[in-house]
């Protein structure tokens, strides 16, 4: 089984920190040089012979191996090659009409900052060029190149202190280590892929279930058979996503004729994607840890294909595909859940979003913003109710949410509990706002 340990690391001295920064900065510089050589060839610029793969990476490796060490220089170049191969794969999918999973034209791999504004401090280290020791004082040691070794009068093995405990301290093999500086909280971080034996797998004595309703305004609404309900709100995130998208459009409209992108535009795309990925990653982790603690062993997710034809408006579809990247989110959630021994099953959830839990009616209910109401007297949070109905459909047992739903808001680092308690009536009523948001709740998208 493949797993990943993610942890923060701390240099032991100022010299150590400077050395680490130099190493990460040189890695970013090498990445940029390789990428530049490839991008110029991709764009058919004058003076650059051949295609992307004709760039002379051997010469660059030679120039950087003194600082980085030969193995790290090779890994950085290899990682850039992987990024280009990924880009070509996406581009093929985008142009393949039978494939609808890629809706935006992909961008070629970007640069890791630049010398003037600062580079993104990031490197990658071969599995044989680092060691990790777990224990009371966990530590990471990485090999550095001879030039750095001389510059700092160093042993050539940089030792870093690891904070926190790994999810997978015992493993058979370790993979390539990613090491980077996280500017959002000024911390060096590493992720270490490992292969663990099947016996190591945590097997919680769990048989509880959970069901998720995935949406664009409320990213995840969840009900568990233990009676818990969680709601992760996406409006603020989407608002910022849209602002960045508008800024990209504004910059694009100012491009010289014949130009389709610029470094600034590419940077905004990357920023937009990074922010979303960060929020997704954190959401998966937060949710899965809660479910694990509740003793959940199976999570049901509604399949998007069923939703498309029914109550989702075109705008909402676009919103969920482009902004929240539903498929990617599902895969990420499945990966995180697997670490905890929880299985994720994608099931049809047609109709559950408008079914009244009290009388079972699907055609008499109305949804306004986040509230589902029924002439029988029922009124509740629409997405939470949908996850509840969905859960009931896939479990034999009756589901009775007992606790007050817990709401989470994204603050750029964490999903934290919102001070706002659940009040179904609390909502915006300006219909134009509803429309611009592509809100699921608009009346006309209700009926099938
Ligand atoms: Zn009813």
């Amino acid at each position: 089984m493949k797993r990943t340990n993610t942890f923060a690391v701390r240099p032991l001295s100022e010299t150590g920190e400077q050395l680490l920064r130099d190493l990460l900065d040189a890695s970013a510089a090498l990445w940029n040089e390789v990428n530049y050589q490839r991008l110029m060839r991709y764009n058919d610029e004058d003076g650059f012979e051949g295609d992307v793969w004709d760039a002379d990476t051997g010469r660059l490796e030679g120039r950087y191996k003194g600082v980085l060490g030969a193995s790290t220089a090779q890994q950085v170049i290899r990682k850039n090659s992987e990024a280009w191969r990924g880009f070509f794969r996406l581009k093929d999918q985008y142009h393949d009409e039978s494939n609808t999973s890629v809706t935006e034209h992909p961008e070629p791999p970007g640069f890791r900052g630049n010398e003037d504004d600062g580079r993104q401090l990031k490197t990658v280290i071969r599995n044989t060029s680092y060691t990790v020791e777990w224990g009371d004082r966990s530590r990471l040691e990485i090999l550095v190149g001879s030039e750095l070794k001389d510059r700092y009068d160093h042993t050539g093995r940089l030792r870093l202190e690891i904070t926190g405990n790994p999810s997978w301290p015992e493993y058979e093999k370790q993979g390539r280590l990613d090491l980077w500086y996280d500017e959002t909280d000024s911390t060096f971080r590493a992720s270490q892929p490992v292969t663990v034996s099947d016996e190591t797998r945590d097997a919680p004595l769990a048989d509880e279930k959970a069901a998720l309703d995935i949406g664009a305004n409320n990213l995840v609404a969840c009900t568990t058979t233990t009676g818990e309900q969680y709601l992760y709100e996406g409006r603020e995130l989407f608002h910022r996503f849209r602002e960045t998208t508008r800024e990209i459009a504004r910059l694009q409209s100012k491009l010289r004729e014949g130009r389709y992108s610029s470094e600034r535009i590419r940077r905004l795309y990357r920023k937009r994607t990074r922010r979303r990925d960060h929020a997704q990653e954190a959401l998966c982790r937060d949710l899965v840890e809660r479910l694990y603690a509740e003793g959940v062993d199976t999570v049901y997710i509604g399949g998007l294909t069923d939703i498309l034809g029914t109550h989702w408006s075109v705008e909402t579809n676009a919103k969920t595909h482009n902004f929240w990247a539903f498929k990617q989110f599902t895969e990420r959630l499945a990966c995180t859940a697997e670490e905890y021994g929880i299985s994720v099953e994608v099931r049809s959830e047609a109709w559950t979003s408008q079914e009244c839990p009290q009388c079972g009616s699907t055609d008499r209910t109305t949804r306004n913003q986040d509230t589902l109401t029924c002439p029988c007297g029922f009124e509740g949070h629409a997405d939470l109710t949908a996850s509840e109905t969905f859960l009931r459909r896939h479990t034999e047992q009756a589901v009775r949410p007992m606790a007050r739903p817990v709401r989470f808001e994204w603050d750029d680092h964490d999903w934290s509990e919102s001070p706002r308690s659940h009040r179904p009536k609390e909502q915006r009523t300006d219909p134009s706002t509803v429309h611009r948001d592509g809100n699921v709740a608009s009346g006309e998208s209700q009926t099938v």
Side-chain angles (χ1 to χ4, degrees):
M1 279 191 311
K2 301 240 184 275
R3 293 291 179 270
T4 304
N5 286 322
T6 310
F7 44 86
V9 294
R10 219 162 23 209
L12 299 172
S13 64
E14 258 174 52
T15 314
E17 170 158 359
Q18 202 46 55
L19 193 156
L20 179 59
R21 283 179 180 276
D22 284 1
L23 180 83
L24 299 180
D25 187 55
S27 300
L30 171 57
W31 170 282
N32 286 351
E33 288 210 45
V34 173
N35 207 51
Y36 176 78
Q37 292 293 328
R38 288 178 167 162
L39 190 63
M40 291 297 113
R41 285 170 174 78
Y42 177 73
N43 289 339
D44 279 328
E45 300 285 345
D46 288 342
F48 292 86
E49 294 291 309
D51 69 10
V52 163
W53 306 115
D54 291 319
D56 187 359
T57 55
R59 189 180 56 84
L60 291 170
E61 183 190 321
R63 271 184 36 215
Y64 279 87
K65 71 179 179 194
V67 175
L68 298 177
S71 76
T72 298
Q74 284 159 14
Q75 292 300 318
V76 171
I77 294 167
R78 187 169 301 173
K79 194 139 190 180
N80 183 267
S81 308
E82 288 166 13
W84 277 94
R85 276 197 292 273
F87 162 65
F88 287 126
R89 232 180 355 257
L90 278 180
K91 203 177 146 191
D92 284 347
Q93 288 174 9
Y94 176 76
H95 289 292
D96 174 2
E97 279 178 17
S98 65
N99 187 327
T100 53
S101 63
V102 182
T103 51
E104 268 181 280
H105 195 289
E107 291 277 320
F111 293 95
R112 293 191 169 162
N114 58 53
E115 200 167 358
D116 294 339
D117 301 338
R119 283 182 279 255
Q120 290 168 29
L121 303 179
K122 190 170 183 178
T123 196
V124 53
I125 296 172
R126 196 169 67 192
N127 63 341
T128 52
S129 300
Y130 74 93
T131 54
V132 173
E133 269 178 51
W134 298 111
D136 291 341
R137 290 190 180 169
S138 300
R139 65 188 198 207
L140 166 70
E141 272 188 8
I142 56 176
L143 290 181
V144 303
S146 55
E147 278 177 35
L148 275 186
K149 197 173 126 183
D150 295 344
R151 192 183 301 167
Y152 291 99
D153 193 18
H154 196 268
T155 59
R157 293 188 73 87
L158 175 64
R159 184 179 293 183
L160 302 162
E161 182 187 9
I162 296 177
T163 53
N165 291 314
S167 310
W168 306 96
E170 283 171 35
Y171 41 84
E172 292 164 347
K173 272 199 310 220
Q174 66 182 15
R176 188 172 71 176
L177 184 89
D178 279 306
L179 183 60
W180 70 97
Y181 182 68
D182 187 344
E183 282 176 30
T184 56
D185 58 357
S186 311
T187 306
F188 293 100
R189 295 186 189 282
S191 78
Q192 175 202 30
V194 293
T195 309
V196 298
S197 71
D198 289 337
E199 293 87 71
T200 318
R201 179 178 163 145
D202 273 23
L205 294 169
D207 63 350
E208 300 294 345
K209 315 287 173 210
L212 309 187
D213 182 88
I214 313 276
N217 295 326
N218 296 302
L219 299 173
V220 169
C222 171
T223 302
T224 68
T225 48
T226 56
E228 296 291 330
Q229 290 197 310
Y230 309 119
L231 190 68
Y232 293 81
E233 298 185 344
R235 286 186 176 91
E236 183 56 31
L237 258 173
F238 178 67
H239 179 69
R240 297 185 56 188
F241 182 89
R242 196 175 47 188
E243 272 180 358
T244 312
T245 307
R246 282 189 184 140
E247 177 64 6
I248 289 171
R250 193 185 65 80
L251 292 172
Q252 275 167 340
S253 71
K254 292 190 166 176
L255 287 172
R256 273 186 289 123
E257 190 144 350
R259 291 210 42 176
Y260 299 100
S261 197
S262 68
E263 182 51 31
R264 202 155 152 222
I265 290 173
R266 277 192 285 273
R267 207 178 310 161
L268 281 175
Y269 269 119
R270 279 200 302 277
K271 189 172 149 198
R272 198 182 70 172
T273 306
R274 240 194 342 261
R275 196 188 287 147
R276 192 227 12 239
D277 288 355
H278 185 190
Q280 275 195 354
E281 175 86 44
L283 195 161
C284 291
R285 182 82 39 200
D286 190 86
L287 176 64
V288 166
E289 281 175 4
R290 283 172 200 281
L291 297 180
Y292 180 79
E294 285 293 306
V296 168
D297 72 345
T298 310
V299 178
Y300 299 104
I301 301 187
L304 190 64
T305 43
D306 290 317
I307 307 169
L308 295 184
T310 57
H311 64 285
W312 280 36
S313 68
V314 174
E315 286 154 284
T316 310
N317 285 339
K319 188 166 164 180
T320 312
H321 276 301
N322 294 331
F323 158 54
W324 194 239
F326 176 85
K327 197 158 167 273
Q328 177 194 306
F329 172 71
T330 313
E331 281 162 13
R332 202 181 286 259
L333 185 76
C335 275
T336 312
E338 202 193 349
E339 284 178 33
Y340 289 81
I342 297 172
S343 66
V344 170
E345 296 185 19
V346 178
R347 294 284 172 84
S348 159
E349 70 160 341
W351 295 106
T352 53
S353 296
Q354 52 219 93
E355 186 179 307
C356 171
Q358 201 162 285
C359 70
S361 168
T362 52
D363 53 1
R364 294 194 305 158
T365 53
T366 31
R367 181 176 173 153
N368 183 18
Q369 292 278 28
D370 279 346
T371 307
L372 188 77
T373 47
C374 181
C376 77
F378 175 80
E379 181 178 297
H381 188 284
D383 293 333
L384 286 172
T385 304
S387 70
E388 202 181 308
T389 307
F390 182 36
L391 179 64
R392 195 176 315 111
R393 195 164 294 183
H394 289 288
T395 53
E396 305 285 288
Q397 55 206 111
V399 181
R400 278 191 206 296
M402 293 173 301
R404 165 190 280 253
V406 189
R407 286 169 172 260
F408 302 98
E409 280 171 353
W410 178 244
D411 70 358
D412 262 9
H413 299 296
D414 293 302
W415 288 94
S416 45
E417 219 169 295
S418 152
R420 212 143 57 89
S421 64
H422 171 51
R423 275 174 292 156
K425 291 257 156 119
E426 180 185 270
Q427 56 201 243
R428 291 171 298 176
T429 46
D430 175 6
S432 65
T433 321
V434 177
H435 188 72
R436 268 210 314 280
D437 272 8
N439 197 297
V440 200
S442 52
E444 68 279 6
S445 59
Q446 255 285 343
T447 45
V448 182

